[in-house]
Amino acid sequence: MAINKYIPCEKTNCSCHKAVIEHDLNPYQDGITKELFTLARSKGTKYQIIKGELYREKECHFPARCAGVEHYLGAVAPKLPNLEFIVNTRDWPQVNHAWGNRKAPVFSFSKTNDYYDIMYPAWSFWEGGPAISLYPTGIGRWDKHRVSISSAADKWTWDKKEEIAFFRGSRTNEERDALILLSRSDPDLVDAKYTKNQAWKSDADTLYAPPASEVSFEEHCKYKYLFNYRGVAASFRFKHLFLCKSLVFHVGNSWLEFFYPSLRPWVHYVPISPTAKADEIKKYIEFFKENDSLAKEIADRGFQHIWDHLTDKDVKCYWRKLLKKYALLIKYDVNKDKDLIRIDIKK
Ligand code: UDP
């Protein structure tokens, strides 16, 4: 089994995610030239760090997302050399080598291995995540969620959890349909329903059923099995699910955030194929109902990994290490761009 070969990452200081920085910067090992930077320029928002101060171009397409990113950039800037970089705050990455795009160093929060983009910790660790009725100003404050969701897990201990697979979310991806259909045919095994998102027009967008009400992350802890799916890119849901100490079923493995590679299938979560039909999903859930202690072991290990290696400090640390390594690759002099505005972060 995977667990026999797995050596836990005991390291501190975000080193469990070090390989991701090396992997993402590898295409730029020969150096980031002015030409490469110019190619990246149109794909996102320009930032500079000059003499330890943070600067950004005036316009930001998603101000709350920029603010979420700047919370961390402001904190690490004083320790960094002069540098400039492009942050893409769109939902999807930009530079796909499988489509023949020329490489360009664009920072994006999520990608597949088909992209040259460099992953950075998503804005929603602090603010700017999707706004739903429960989180009207947008999902954020991972530091607070860590505390409130793990407290809910203490209330819903393993023996108290309902032996039901649970999912709430909108239809950002049709891959989610198989679980919704299984829930409709087998409601004692699965409770999975579509909620509305901003693009919702009619019941067709919730697979011909009225939209369900939204459920908080804390309330997810009531259930033993929690499902994660990609959306447009990786879903912000994933990291929260582990905090419930429930067993996480992760469907598909192509879409990543920076911390995904540190998590291992069968060690921290149950991997499910994105093409699995309802019957196959049902077999996995039933297997874990019959192998309850194994389910609990994986759930506890998943929780512990996220708890130990995805703290707010790790997020800051990842930004710092990423930008330090990136700065070493820059081959031209970075001069202060007069068109940028200074970003002052309130501590
Ligand atoms: N969400 C939630 N409760 C719900 C529905 C959604 O907490 O009832 C969260 C979900 O976990 C995710 C975000 O809202 O982090 C957006 O979810 P959605 O399914 O709409 O899109 P996704 O980003 O997963 O593609």
Side-chain angles (χ1 to χ4, degrees):
M1 263 215 64
I3 186 62
N4 298 332
K5 291 193 198 136
Y6 174 68
I7 303 164
C9 182
E10 306 280 0
K11 296 179 188 129
T12 52
N13 261 344
C14 72
S15 316
C16 296
H17 313 292
K18 195 170 157 232
V20 179
I21 297 180
E22 282 161 16
H23 174 272
D24 286 358
L25 292 182
N26 195 44
Y28 307 103
Q29 278 318 308
D30 292 342
I32 294 164
T33 57
K34 192 86 197 168
E35 193 205 351
L36 278 178
F37 182 78
T38 307
L39 279 175
R41 181 68 191 87
S42 61
K43 312 273 185 203
T45 306
K46 179 174 174 182
Y47 282 92
Q48 283 192 329
I49 291 171
I50 306 283
K51 292 188 185 154
E53 310 263 20
L54 180 65
Y55 298 86
R56 189 198 73 215
E57 70 179 275
K58 205 161 176 229
E59 290 307 315
C60 164
H61 197 58
F62 297 103
R65 295 183 183 185
C66 283
V69 164
E70 287 156 14
H71 168 77
Y72 294 102
L73 293 180
V76 300
K79 292 181 190 147
L80 291 170
N82 289 359
L83 78 156
E84 59 184 13
F85 50 100
I86 298 299
V87 176
N88 162 35
T89 50
R90 292 187 184 90
D91 288 337
W92 52 87
Q94 297 292 308
V95 199
N96 188 311
H97 51 75
W99 298 342
N101 291 155
R102 284 168 67 194
K103 71 180 169 191
V106 178
F107 286 64
S108 294
F109 92 92
S110 172
K111 68 165 178 174
T112 71
N113 278 328
D114 286 342
Y115 288 83
Y116 283 123
D117 298 57
I118 299 161
M119 284 190 286
Y120 70 84
W123 49 86
S124 68
F125 276 98
W126 191 255
E127 66 176 290
I132 64 172
S133 62
L134 296 165
Y135 309 105
T137 56
I139 293 174
R141 293 308 299 260
W142 170 242
D143 58 336
K144 289 190 176 173
H145 272 133
R146 277 171 53 90
V147 176
S148 62
I149 304 171
S150 61
S151 302
D154 291 341
K155 188 171 147 215
W156 293 101
T157 52
W158 188 258
D159 292 336
K160 285 194 197 141
K161 289 182 195 286
E162 290 182 30
E163 290 205 325
I164 286 183
F166 188 78
F167 176 84
R168 279 295 179 283
S170 66
R171 198 171 179 232
T172 49
N173 200 292
E174 289 171 18
E175 283 176 10
R176 302 171 173 194
D177 288 0
L179 190 71
I180 305 295
L181 294 172
L182 178 58
S183 169
R184 290 179 191 172
S185 64
D186 212 334
D188 294 335
L189 189 71
V190 181
D191 178 351
K193 294 191 176 93
Y194 277 136
T195 55
K196 264 187 194 178
N197 64 16
Q198 282 162 353
W200 190 88
K201 289 195 185 64
S202 71
D203 285 357
D205 295 327
T206 28
L207 205 58
Y208 304 100
S213 350
E214 286 157 351
V215 173
S216 71
F217 289 122
E218 291 76 10
E219 287 171 279
H220 281 59
C221 298
K222 225 168 122 179
Y223 306 96
K224 222 173 222 185
Y225 317 111
L226 298 177
F227 271 72
N228 184 59
Y229 285 88
R230 61 166 288 200
V232 175
S235 169
F236 296 141
R237 176 183 286 98
F238 196 35
K239 59 184 179 297
H240 301 88
L241 301 183
F242 288 100
L243 294 179
C244 276
K245 295 188 186 168
S246 298
L247 181 64
V248 177
F249 289 68
H250 180 43
V251 184
N253 60 3
S254 331
W255 284 90
L256 306 172
E257 285 187 62
F258 84 94
F259 62 91
Y260 282 31
S262 72
L263 289 155
R264 299 291 145 80
W266 300 112
V267 174
H268 302 110
Y269 64 83
V270 178
I272 303 276
S273 160
T275 57
K277 298 271 185 296
D279 276 0
E280 192 180 336
I281 296 174
K282 183 174 173 168
K283 279 189 195 140
Y284 277 103
I285 302 168
E286 281 173 343
F287 172 84
F288 281 103
K289 277 183 83 169
E290 282 156 25
N291 292 274
D292 192 59
S293 57
L294 177 62
K296 184 174 184 310
E297 261 175 47
I298 299 175
D300 285 346
R301 234 184 271 117
F303 167 83
Q304 207 58 49
H305 183 83
I306 290 294
W307 187 255
D308 292 343
H309 302 300
L310 198 61
T311 63
D312 200 48
K313 222 171 132 194
D314 289 313
V315 173
K316 235 173 254 165
C317 168
Y318 192 87
W319 262 119
R320 190 176 60 247
K321 287 196 174 165
L322 173 63
L323 292 177
K324 255 190 179 163
K325 291 234 157 100
Y326 177 91
L328 288 173
L329 296 172
I330 299 179
K331 282 201 153 169
Y332 56 93
D333 287 335
V334 176
N335 299 315
K336 189 165 171 288
D337 180 343
K338 300 265 180 311
D339 293 336
L340 304 196
I341 54 166
R342 190 166 148 222
I343 305 290
D344 208 4
I345 306 296
K346 287 171 216 82
K347 294 270 157 39

